Amino acid sequence: MDKPDQRLFEADLASAEFRAGAQKGYWGLSGTDMQAEQPEWPLRILWVAAVPRVNAPVRFYLQLDFSDYRTVPPTGTFWDPATKSPLDHNKRPKGKKDSRLAKVFRTDWEGGRAFYHPYDRVAAKGHPNWATEQPSLIWDCSHTIVDYLEEMHSLLNSGDYLGL
Amino acid sequence: MTGEAIELFIHSQDEKPRVAVAGPHEVLRDVLVRAEVITEGQEDLLVFVGEWEEALNEPDEIEDGEDGQAPVDLSLTIEALELHRHRHVHVHKCRRVSVQVHFNGRTKCRRFSPATTIAVVTIWARKKFKLDAAAGAEYVLRICDSEKQPRPSEHLGELVEPPKCAICFNLVKEIIPQG
């Protein structure tokens, strides 16, 4: 039987907000075209579309840990479905120097195992100051996977995204 | 359009959107009644379809502009309304949402369709305040007197509570995580 956090996550995948983004091709749950099946809960692999850049993919995969979903934020990083491991740093999206995108996707912090963003569990725990500096981005139980994916999609479709 | 049922995304004022499945020959009113968005015979609501982007084409010199989107006839079918293309249905009491955006001591106003996304309002505001595309990308809308920054995919109609068909935003620069 599914766990409560898993049931909540799956309900959010069926929500209009998630489905509308998926219908536009903004994001989705990684399908059987990329791996035989999803990893065991609380891990899930999703993808986010990126604006086309020379020699860069048009979608990036993320493996996220959704333990205690909604009560605590997810955590994770870019994923390589071909090697079934975190994406090599040289294949990750790069941004303009000192841009927000460059900070969020930095690989010189925690070995690139988490995103440097208030929605990431590891980053939020290590930066209690963000709660006052960025109150609008503090994860609480009203947030869903759609908030997370919209942030990623906005970054990967911004003018600050340069490619690989 | 094939005869297959499609997913529609139904947006109502001040509540989360919901998914409805409808066949091409169904009448929109019947779909909305079945989804319990309206009641049989209800006539006090306006229904818009699609996501309205007229503001993106507004010339810079226009001040206090207004969208021209008209509500649809609920007796039409899903196919006739081309909902396989539009997908989004907005049920609202407001014909327009009056938007004020404040930035650097200046204010820009426009009356938008409730079917306008925050993404469209944000691009419109950056353009009106002449923030160039590259530098402006980090500016987002925050609801006045709050810390709430609506997601780009949220619609104006979901953010207002009639009879007040108005909303105020500040255009703010997103903070770069530090520390």
Side-chain angles (χ1 to χ4, degrees):
Chain A
M1 195 167 137
D2 292 347
K3 296 172 180 172
D5 53 356
Q6 186 177 359
R7 284 201 299 273
L8 192 51
F9 177 76
E10 286 169 3
D12 285 342
L13 292 188
S15 70
E17 293 102 320
F18 183 89
R19 293 293 313 142
Q23 191 268 327
K24 288 178 177 169
Y26 287 0
W27 54 64
L29 194 65
S30 181
T32 51
D33 54 326
M34 297 309 296
Q35 73 271 323
E37 56 188 25
Q38 285 282 338
E40 195 169 330
W41 182 261
L43 298 176
R44 284 293 177 268
I45 299 170
L46 297 110
W47 58 265
V48 180
V51 69
R53 297 283 188 253
V54 175
N55 297 325
V58 292
R59 60 171 63 169
F60 286 92
Y61 291 83
L62 319 170
Q63 179 172 267
L64 302 175
D65 177 338
F66 290 99
S67 301
D68 298 323
Y69 175 67
R70 279 227 209 168
T71 307
V72 297
T75 186
T77 192
F78 292 111
W79 184 252
D80 188 338
T83 62
K84 297 183 173 53
S85 60
L87 192 63
D88 285 349
H89 292 181
N90 62 4
K91 293 181 179 174
R92 297 191 184 193
K94 309 295 187 303
K96 290 179 184 169
K97 189 173 184 293
D98 298 328
S99 67
R100 190 162 175 270
L101 182 148
K103 281 286 188 185
V104 173
F105 296 156
R106 61 189 288 191
T107 54
D108 62 348
W109 172 80
E110 292 285 339
R113 70 182 175 101
F115 293 116
Y116 197 68
H117 188 284
Y119 283 171
D120 186 280
R121 186 189 316 159
V122 173
K125 192 173 178 184
H127 297 86
N129 52 312
W130 286 355
T132 50
E133 292 170 6
Q134 306 179 73
S136 64
L137 292 177
I138 296 308
W139 185 277
D140 60 27
C141 62
S142 71
H143 286 78
T144 75
I145 182 59
V146 177
D147 293 285
Y148 194 101
L149 293 171
E150 281 223 44
E151 278 287 298
M152 295 295 152
H153 185 263
S154 292
L155 290 167
L156 291 170
N157 289 269
S158 73
D160 288 338
Y161 169 52
L162 301 174
L164 301 186
Chain B
M1 180 180 179
T2 68
E4 291 175 9
I6 57 167
E7 271 186 337
L8 301 178
F9 308 111
I10 302 179
H11 306 262
S12 304
Q13 51 212 33
D14 198 31
E15 67 176 56
K16 291 174 81 70
R18 61 182 85 177
V19 179
V21 176
H25 304 302
E26 283 193 84
V27 169
L28 180 57
R29 180 185 298 280
D30 296 341
V31 175
L32 295 177
V33 168
R34 191 175 69 230
E36 300 180 340
V37 178
I38 63 171
T39 54
E40 198 73 55
Q42 187 170 5
E43 299 291 346
D44 62 337
L45 292 169
L46 303 165
V47 178
F48 303 89
V49 298
E51 293 184 313
W52 203 248
E53 299 183 345
E54 185 179 340
L56 298 182
N57 300 317
E58 182 177 82
D60 286 351
E61 64 274 18
I62 299 288
E63 296 287 340
D64 301 329
E66 180 172 1
D67 280 340
Q69 187 179 28
V72 298
D73 179 351
L74 290 189
S75 67
L76 294 176
T77 64
I78 301 303
E79 184 173 41
L81 290 164
E82 297 189 77
L83 281 168
H84 59 289
R85 187 163 61 85
H86 294 303
R87 295 284 181 162
H88 294 263
V89 178
H90 306 263
V91 181
H92 221 277
K93 285 189 174 172
C94 301
R95 183 176 292 270
R96 299 285 177 261
V97 176
S98 291
V99 172
Q100 278 191 346
V101 182
H102 304 293
F103 176 70
N104 263 359
R106 291 182 297 150
T107 301
K108 297 289 179 184
C109 302
R110 194 174 192 281
R111 291 182 296 283
F112 289 88
S113 160
T116 309
T117 61
I118 290 298
V120 168
V121 181
T122 306
I123 295 168
W124 168 84
R126 289 172 187 159
K127 193 173 156 207
K128 284 291 174 186
F129 288 113
K130 303 197 185 313
L131 295 167
D132 76 56
E138 292 182 342
Y139 286 87
V140 296
L141 295 177
R142 179 180 297 166
I143 296 175
C144 296
D145 303 319
S146 84
E147 298 293 346
K148 182 173 168 53
Q149 288 176 201
R151 291 195 313 265
S153 65
E154 287 187 78
H155 297 82
L156 284 174
E158 295 162 56
L159 300 172
V160 297
E161 292 180 59
K164 190 181 177 194
C165 297
I167 191 165
C168 162
F169 297 103
N170 290 308
L171 188 62
V172 299
K173 189 167 188 182
E174 280 199 290
I175 293 170
I176 295 176
Q178 305 284 356

